[in-house]
Amino acid sequence: RASTHISALPQEVMVRLFRYLGPEDLCRCSQVCHTWAELVKTGSLWRHLYPVRWARGDYYRGPPGDPDQDPDAEDWVQNLQEEGRAYQEWDEDADIDESEEACEDSLAISAVRKEKKLLNGMIQNLLPAVGSSVRTLSLAYSAAVSSKMVRQILSLCPNLIHLDLTQTDVTDSAFESWAELGVCRTLEHLDLSGCEKLTDYTLQSLSLGLGDLTTPRFSKNSPECKNKLLKTPPSAIKLLDKHSSYSLGRARTALVFKWRPGGRSMSCSPVWVLDPVELADIEDAANWTRREGVAGHSEGRGGILGMQAGGKSCCCRRSTRRSFRTDISSTYLQQLYGTLGEMQCGHSACCASDTALRTLKGAQCEPQATGCSSEFWTKCPSEGESRTDQTGACRALRFLSLSGCYQITDMGLRCLSKGGGLPLLEHLNLSGCLFITEVGLHELVSVCPSLNDEHFYYCDNINGPHADRASGCQNLQCGFRVCCRSGE
Ligand code: FES
C-alpha cells in the first residue's frame, strides 16, 4: 500500500496545520526545508505578536485582551521592571561577579538580551514577509526595544489595529513613518502609557497617520473618477495588485491609482477588490505567488525569529502651584517651541490661529492634475509602480492612553482634534499630563462624541470637561508614573 509523505500535502492544508502551532514551533518548522521555511512566513500565522512574552517562554499568539491568557499583571510587570533595571545597569565589560545577587541579575539580563535578539530576528526575517498581516503588537514594558526598532516595525506593519508600547523608552522618532506615509489608518487601540519622552510631535504624526475626515480625498463627481468607484460592504476589503496588497480595514470605497509610464498624472484604475468572508487564504495565496521564483532557503540556526528552538517666556501664564510643573515647564517649553520655530505655548486660547501647528513637519503632499488630490501621498514611486490612495480614513481610534506622557501639551491635543477629531474614541487617559489645560481638553472632547466618561482620566487639579463624571488621575497611587501629586 502506497504511503503518503507529509510533503505531498497541499500548501493550504499545511498552513491549516501550522495554525495549531505556537511561534517557537513555527520557528522549528522553518528550519525543516525550504518549502516549510516559506510556508511559515504566511501572514495569517502571524496576526498577533507578543515578543516580550515569547522571549520569556509564554507563546500566546491569540488576540489581545483574553483574561484567561493574560499573565498575572502585578507580578509580571514587577519582574519586567526589575529585568529592565538590571539590563540598564549592566556593564558588559565589567569583571564577572559570582555572588547570588549577580546571578539573579544575570538571569534578568539574559532575558532582555533574548528579547532583543527576538526583535531583531522579527525585523530582519519575518516582518518583511508578513508585516501587512500583523494586527496586534504588544511591546509593553520592553527594556530591549528602541525607537529605531519601533520605527522599523511600524513601517513594516501598516495595518496594525492594536499597538501597546506601555512603559518603553521610545521617542517621537519612532512614529516618523506615520507622518510620512500615513499608515496607521486601521489603528483602534494605542497605549503609550509611561512613554515619558514623547511630545506633541508624536500626536502630530498620529493625527496625520489616521487620515483626514474633513477633506475629501477626491471628488466623486470628477469625470476621471466617477466611474471608478467600487462600493463594497462595510466589512474589510482587500486591494491586491500584482505588486502589493493592502488592507483598508472598514473602508467602503477603494481605488488604486497607477502611474502612467512617462506621464506626470495618474489614472484611477481599480485592480482587484475582494469581499471575502475569510481573507486569510486569499492573502496567503497571494503571498505564495509573489514568492514564486524567489529561491527559497531554510532559515539559519534559530529560525526566522532568531529564537533558539528552544529661550523666551511662554506666551501665556499658568498656575505654578504644582511643583513638578514649575521645575520643568519653562525649560521644556522653550526647547520645544524653540525647536518648532514658534514661541507659542500651544494653549488653544493663546494660539488662535493654526500657525503653530503648521510649522510642524507634515506629510508629503503632491496634488496631482487628476482631480484626485491627496494630502497623504507617499513619496513619488518609480514609473510602473502602482500606489494606493488610502481613501479609507476613518480615524478609528477607540482607545488612547497617554498616561504619564507629561510633555504633551494642548498643542498635541489640538493635533488630534483636527482632521475630524476622534469620532469613535471611547477611552482616553491623560493622567499625569501636566501641561494640558481645561481649554485643550474641552477642544478635544468636543470632537470625541463617543467618549465614555468612566474611561476618561485626567489630572484632578484641572477643572475640565465632564468634571463631575470623568474619572480622576490614575497615577496618584501608581508610584512609577508622573503625577503632580506624587508624594503627597
Ligand atoms: Fe495631577 Fe495626577 S497629574 S493628580
Side-chain angles (χ1 to χ4, degrees):
R1 200 168 108 196
S3 63
T4 303
H5 193 267
I6 191 168
S7 62
L9 289 174
Q11 291 184 333
E12 293 84 346
V13 176
M14 285 306 303
V15 169
R16 285 210 170 247
L17 295 176
F18 283 161
R19 282 183 195 162
Y20 291 96
L21 303 182
E24 189 185 36
D25 293 328
L26 287 174
C27 288
R28 287 198 180 102
C29 290
S30 74
Q31 297 171 76
V32 170
C33 63
H34 296 172
T35 307
W36 281 26
E38 287 305 305
L39 280 180
V40 164
K41 290 182 187 171
T42 296
S44 60
L45 299 174
W46 302 99
R47 291 266 191 256
H48 310 287
L49 308 183
Y50 305 91
V52 178
R53 291 170 70 167
W54 295 351
R56 288 157 183 84
D58 174 355
Y59 297 112
Y60 176 68
R61 64 179 189 91
D66 183 342
D68 294 337
Q69 297 291 339
D70 275 347
D72 183 354
E74 219 167 287
D75 291 349
W76 173 256
V77 168
Q78 199 176 343
N79 283 343
L80 290 176
Q81 286 178 323
E82 280 167 13
E83 285 176 6
R85 269 193 292 275
Y87 183 72
Q88 278 160 8
E89 289 163 9
W90 173 50
D91 181 356
E92 208 168 344
D93 300 325
D95 292 336
I96 294 172
D97 181 352
E98 292 180 349
S99 65
E100 197 174 320
E101 196 181 334
C103 197
E104 279 176 20
D105 278 357
S106 114
L107 285 175
I109 291 163
S110 73
V112 180
R113 291 178 72 184
K114 186 176 177 186
E115 183 188 320
K116 191 172 183 178
K117 189 178 170 191
L118 175 62
L119 284 167
N120 280 323
M122 283 174 58
I123 292 168
Q124 286 165 20
N125 302 318
L126 180 66
L127 294 182
V130 306
S132 63
S133 300
V134 175
R135 301 293 180 264
T136 303
L137 175 66
S138 176
L139 292 165
Y141 298 95
S142 170
V145 75
S146 65
S147 296
K148 184 182 174 188
M149 283 177 175
V150 174
R151 186 166 63 244
Q152 290 174 314
I153 292 172
L154 295 184
S155 298
L156 292 166
C157 303
N159 299 319
L160 276 177
I161 291 175
H162 183 113
L163 176 62
D164 190 348
L165 293 169
T166 298
Q167 216 68 35
T168 52
D169 209 27
V170 293
T171 62
D172 294 326
S173 67
F175 306 94
E176 279 173 0
S177 65
W178 283 354
E180 291 174 4
L181 301 174
V183 287
C184 64
R185 304 225 167 151
T186 51
L187 201 60
E188 295 183 8
H189 181 113
L190 178 60
D191 198 336
L192 300 173
S193 306
C195 300
E196 295 184 357
K197 293 181 179 172
L198 299 184
T199 72
D200 293 338
Y201 281 111
T202 291
L203 298 189
Q204 168 80 358
S205 301
L206 172 63
S207 191
L208 285 169
L210 290 172
D212 190 341
L213 299 173
T214 60
T215 306
R217 196 50 48 87
F218 52 85
S219 165
K220 290 184 179 177
N221 296 323
S222 160
E224 291 190 51
C225 298
K226 198 168 182 179
N227 299 318
K228 305 293 184 183
L229 303 180
L230 296 179
K231 302 292 183 186
T232 68
S235 57
I237 64 170
K238 197 75 183 171
L239 296 183
L240 298 172
D241 66 12
K242 63 181 179 181
H243 297 295
S244 64
S245 63
Y246 196 92
S247 167
L248 298 183
R250 295 194 174 110
R252 300 175 69 93
T253 305
L255 279 177
V256 171
F257 294 88
K258 287 209 162 200
W259 287 96
R260 287 181 186 141
R264 287 177 58 81
S265 63
M266 293 178 299
S267 62
C268 310
S269 80
V271 184
W272 299 340
V273 178
L274 306 177
D275 179 26
V277 176
E278 172 57 76
L279 280 172
D281 293 340
I282 298 168
E283 184 180 347
D284 293 346
N287 283 336
W288 300 330
T289 305
R290 198 164 53 229
R291 288 186 215 139
E292 271 179 15
V294 178
H297 60 282
S298 63
E299 301 300 328
R301 190 176 156 79
I304 56 173
L305 298 185
M307 286 170 79
Q308 202 55 255
K312 297 171 188 172
S313 63
C314 181
C315 64
C316 71
R317 295 286 181 270
R318 291 278 313 272
S319 161
T320 55
R321 61 184 162 156
R322 294 165 209 161
S323 58
F324 191 87
R325 179 185 299 173
T326 50
D327 288 345
I328 58 178
S329 61
S330 80
T331 310
Y332 168 67
L333 288 176
Q334 280 173 14
Q335 285 173 351
L336 176 63
Y337 300 112
T339 306
L340 298 179
E342 293 289 334
M343 287 312 299
Q344 293 180 320
C345 63
H347 298 155
S348 307
C350 310
C351 309
S353 73
D354 294 338
T355 313
L357 298 180
R358 287 177 182 161
T359 57
L360 291 167
K361 185 182 174 192
Q364 301 294 319
C365 183
E366 303 171 275
Q368 300 296 320
T370 58
C372 306
S373 64
S374 172
E375 197 178 344
F376 289 95
W377 291 124
T378 55
K379 286 174 184 154
C380 180
S382 56
E383 281 184 2
E385 282 184 347
S386 67
R387 64 182 183 177
T388 305
D389 177 44
Q390 299 163 25
T391 54
C394 57
R395 296 181 77 91
L397 208 58
R398 295 169 189 274
F399 177 106
L400 176 62
S401 178
L402 298 167
S403 170
C405 302
Y406 69 86
Q407 303 194 52
I408 299 295
T409 71
D410 284 0
M411 192 161 88
L413 300 188
R414 184 191 276 184
C415 291
L416 292 176
S417 306
K418 287 180 169 286
L422 298 170
L424 303 179
L425 191 72
E426 296 165 0
H427 181 118
L428 177 61
N429 191 342
L430 296 168
S431 305
C433 295
L434 306 176
F435 292 120
I436 60 172
T437 70
E438 57 271 28
V439 180
L441 280 172
H442 274 291
E443 188 174 358
L444 179 57
V445 167
S446 69
V447 289
C448 299
S450 306
L451 194 60
N452 182 339
D453 290 341
E454 272 182 39
H455 298 149
F456 181 29
Y457 306 87
Y458 60 89
C459 173
D460 290 354
N461 288 357
I462 300 175
N463 186 24
H466 309 186
D468 49 336
R469 299 189 305 276
S471 300
C473 174
Q474 263 199 328
N475 295 354
L476 284 167
Q477 310 295 334
C478 180
F480 57 88
R481 246 171 238 158
V482 173
C483 178
C484 66
R485 290 164 68 175
S486 296
E488 282 184 15

